[in-house]
Amino acid sequence: MALVITLVLLALLAVGLCALMYAAFRRPATNAPKKFLATGRRPGAHTVVVAFGDSITHATLSADWVGALRDRFDADGYDFVNAGVNGHTSTDLLHRLDEVVACRPDAVAIMVGTNDVRNGIPQAQFRTNLETIIGRLQTSGTAQIALLSATPLGENPADPANRTLTDYNIAAEQTADRMGISYLPVYERIAEHLGRGTTPPKFAFSFGLALKVAVQHYVFRRSLDDIARGNGLIMLTDHIHLNDRAGTIVADLVANWLSHIPAPAR
């Protein structure tokens, strides 16, 4: 009997772990392109907005800034498509561009670069990828486009990773200016809250820490802000992903941009 109970408990643990891993790492984003293309725009929607990026946009481990925008604009005729995928670089976005174009968006908000820096994608390649993505969107439709700066790698702006990331964000801003699209200073706004009167912790992201955050959030239902505080952080939960405070900064910047875009004629 004891063996049976042990086996049952182990089976339940395995099922729970699989469910956690799916929720935190594999679960599709809410209203991902595949779902949107299958169901079409929701009734009454006059503006389709695609958020195109990595895990910061995907939001299974990070604050759901796309969902926050969906809630804010729910009654205003907007339909938000979340085209974020965990772990993706600008090269991955380039490979997924067809599904974004197929959504026939009226606005596209692109945020990428964190994984380019972490994975050693050369800055020249990063710049070329952005140019190709933006150019394709411009030639395939009339969508308004915003390029968001990539979010911090840890909370020490002087850390080598953030110095490198800043260079990539400068390249993004220059690309946006050259190609006539909007640049939204996400990194810059978040960085304003870092390093005030305290010594920022060293960058210490790991899969183990991300999994710990997932357990705290999905199993114990702790808020992302509480998890960040417990890890000695202000705006990030695990040195990469955003807490709700930082997610609000992203949502505010995108909301302000969208408010200046006229509704498309249908």
Side-chain angles (χ1 to χ4, degrees):
M1 176 63 86
L3 178 59
V4 172
I5 293 174
T6 300
L7 291 175
V8 169
L9 290 175
L10 288 174
L12 291 174
L13 180 62
V15 170
L17 181 59
C18 288
L20 174 66
M21 296 295 286
Y22 176 79
F25 301 103
R26 302 295 297 175
R27 173 170 52 91
T30 301
N31 202 29
K34 183 179 293 186
K35 179 180 179 182
F36 175 81
L37 291 171
T39 60
R41 70 175 65 208
R42 65 184 181 85
H46 56 63
T47 301
V48 173
V49 182
V50 175
F52 195 22
D54 53 29
S55 62
I56 306 301
T57 299
H58 191 163
T60 57
L61 274 174
S62 196
D64 188 4
W65 62 269
V66 182
L69 288 170
R70 188 176 291 116
D71 291 341
R72 293 189 197 186
F73 288 86
D74 181 61
D76 296 331
Y78 287 79
D79 204 353
F80 288 89
V81 180
N82 189 324
V85 175
N86 291 337
H88 274 200
T89 66
S90 60
T91 299
D92 296 309
L93 265 61
L94 186 58
H95 292 158
R96 291 195 290 118
L97 186 55
D98 284 348
E99 67 178 13
V100 172
V101 171
C103 292
R104 299 177 62 194
D106 301 295
V108 181
I110 306 167
M111 180 163 56
V112 71
T114 298
N115 293 314
D116 291 76
V117 172
R118 294 184 64 229
N119 295 335
I121 303 294
Q123 187 184 129
Q125 184 63 53
F126 173 69
R127 189 189 294 263
T128 297
N129 288 344
L130 291 181
E131 290 173 348
T132 304
I133 291 167
I134 295 165
R136 173 82 186 283
L137 289 170
Q138 289 176 325
T139 58
S140 63
T142 58
Q144 299 291 317
I145 306 167
L147 187 57
L148 287 61
S149 54
T151 53
L153 287 167
E155 296 197 345
N156 184 355
D159 186 271
N162 275 326
R163 289 202 297 267
T164 300
L165 186 68
T166 296
D167 290 339
Y168 279 61
N169 282 334
I170 290 172
E173 184 174 15
Q174 292 172 342
T175 300
D177 183 64
R178 185 170 60 256
M179 302 193 75
I181 66 170
S182 300
Y183 173 80
L184 306 186
V186 170
Y187 176 96
E188 296 85 337
R189 293 292 181 268
I190 292 176
E192 290 174 359
H193 298 270
L194 304 180
R196 292 184 173 181
T198 61
T199 301
K202 293 182 179 179
F203 179 68
F205 175 81
S206 67
F207 175 76
L209 181 57
L211 184 58
K212 178 182 175 183
V213 169
V215 170
Q216 292 175 318
H217 186 56
Y218 287 102
V219 178
F220 295 104
R221 300 298 179 181
R222 293 186 64 195
S223 73
L224 296 176
D225 288 348
D226 284 344
I227 293 170
R229 281 191 291 270
N231 289 333
L233 299 167
I234 300 171
M235 306 297 283
L236 309 175
T237 59
D238 56 8
H239 296 263
I240 287 183
H241 298 106
L242 308 185
N243 65 6
D244 291 323
R245 184 181 178 188
T248 298
I249 291 175
V250 183
D252 286 347
L253 284 167
V254 178
N256 182 65
W257 171 65
L258 289 175
S259 71
H260 291 86
I261 295 176
R266 294 293 179 192

